[in-house]
Structure formats: C-alpha cells, structure tokens
Amino acid sequence: NNKLDNMQFNKLILLFTLSLTFLFVSGGEQSVNFPLFRWAQNRSKIWITVQVLNVKSPKVEFREEGVLFEGYAGETGKFYRLDLDFLRGIDVENSSWERFDKKFMINIVKKTEEKHWPHLLKSTKKLEEGNMRIDWTRWTVEDRSSSSKKKSKKLDESKKEIVE
C-alpha cells in the first residue's frame, strides 16, 4: 500500500513538473480564438454583435480609432479576442457594451455624424478565418430614404410653382 501511494505521488509530481514546463515554454499563453461578429451602422452609430455564448470575464477597451474585446465562452471556456482598428474615429466616452446569453453587443458612437463609412476597418484585408459579416437586420438605409424625401419635396414644390 505504501509503495502504491509513493508511485501515485511520484506520478503527480511528474505531471506537475511537465505542466510547469509546458507553461514556461509556451509563455503561459492560451490559444486565441477569433469570434464571428456582425456589424451595422447608421450616421451616428456602429453596432458590433460578437457571436460568443455566455461570455465570462469580458474585457472591452475603447480606443480613439478602435476597440478590443476579450472574453471566455461560458460553456467551453475557450478564450476569444477581437481587436479592431476602425476606418475613422469613435467617441470613446459614449460607446458602451452589453452582455447577453447568446451574444455580446458593442455599441460604438461615431466621433462625427456623417454618411455611412464605406467599410468598417482601416485595412480592407480579410480578417482571421473570415469572421466578419454584415448585420443586415440592423442596417439602415437612411441615406436613400432621406434623398428620396428631398426629391419628393422638390417635386411637390415644383408642382406648386407650375399650378400657381
């Protein structure tokens, strides 16, 4: 019995030593996963929906022209990181985030209200694993509707001039 306990103890010591060696050699870094995310915008805001379930220990850092998201998936414990450099500046003070069971929302306020950005990021290169999608459920077409209102208003005014 005593020999068996010593053997188990030695195995535990060996496993512990191997674990420490692995951590030391790998720098203690965990594997990083790049989450699928969807984005949409209007004249003043950008919405980013990160598709990670039950995010634990979230970290969100807003920068002048970007955002960093880190968190662990609740069920699997996988570590996710999303580091985005935006095409233009954002309002760091008024941007926010919300955690939900099935997703993580990042609400970005644009620094200046303007027409839609032609793309979200400074770089037009494809992100890791092709993880960026457009969120068509949130996308607004206000530019088209506002220009058609202007056109229709001009037409109405021209009709009045013609009638009078």
Side-chain angles (χ1 to χ4, degrees):
N1 253 347
N2 212 6
K3 283 187 179 185
L4 185 60
D5 290 336
N6 282 340
M7 285 177 59
Q8 287 176 340
F9 180 75
N10 287 337
K11 284 182 183 178
L12 284 175
I13 294 293
L14 179 62
L15 283 174
F16 180 72
T17 306
L18 289 173
S19 298
L20 283 179
T21 304
F22 175 75
L23 285 174
F24 180 74
V25 169
S26 68
E29 295 179 15
Q30 56 215 355
S31 65
V32 176
N33 297 284
F34 303 101
L36 172 69
F37 72 98
R38 300 182 187 284
W39 76 283
Q41 66 175 319
N42 66 14
R43 290 181 165 275
S44 60
K45 293 182 181 174
I46 297 170
W47 298 279
I48 297 174
T49 305
V50 182
Q51 303 294 141
V52 176
L53 297 175
N54 300 314
V55 175
K56 306 290 185 211
S57 306
K59 174 185 169 184
V60 179
E61 290 178 10
F62 296 102
R63 302 183 303 267
E64 293 280 324
E65 290 187 351
V67 66
L68 169 70
F69 161 82
E70 293 180 341
Y72 295 87
E75 301 295 319
T76 62
K78 287 184 178 178
F79 178 70
Y80 287 91
R81 179 186 177 103
L82 186 62
D83 193 359
L84 304 174
D85 290 320
F86 297 133
L87 178 65
R88 299 198 177 104
I90 66 168
D91 181 345
V92 174
E93 295 297 317
N94 291 309
S95 296
S96 62
W97 56 270
E98 299 174 75
R99 179 177 29 188
F100 298 96
D101 287 342
K102 295 187 179 186
K103 61 187 175 186
F104 194 89
M105 291 291 303
I106 302 174
N107 305 303
I108 306 292
V109 177
K110 292 180 179 178
K111 197 167 210 162
T112 56
E113 192 168 310
E114 58 187 310
K115 63 182 180 180
H116 286 75
W117 294 358
H119 46 90
L120 179 64
L121 306 175
K122 279 184 183 178
S123 170
T124 56
K125 292 182 181 176
K126 190 174 176 181
L127 289 177
E128 296 85 3
E129 307 298 322
N131 59 342
M132 181 168 69
R133 308 277 190 279
I134 293 176
D135 188 348
W136 293 111
T137 63
R138 286 186 157 271
W139 200 270
T140 61
V141 192
E142 64 185 28
D143 283 350
R144 289 182 186 163
S145 63
S146 65
S147 64
S148 65
K149 285 179 187 176
K150 287 178 189 174
K151 285 180 187 174
S152 63
K153 188 175 180 181
K154 286 180 184 177
L155 289 173
D156 290 343
E157 288 172 6
S158 65
K159 285 179 186 175
K160 283 183 184 179
E161 289 177 10
I162 294 172
V163 172
E164 293 174 1

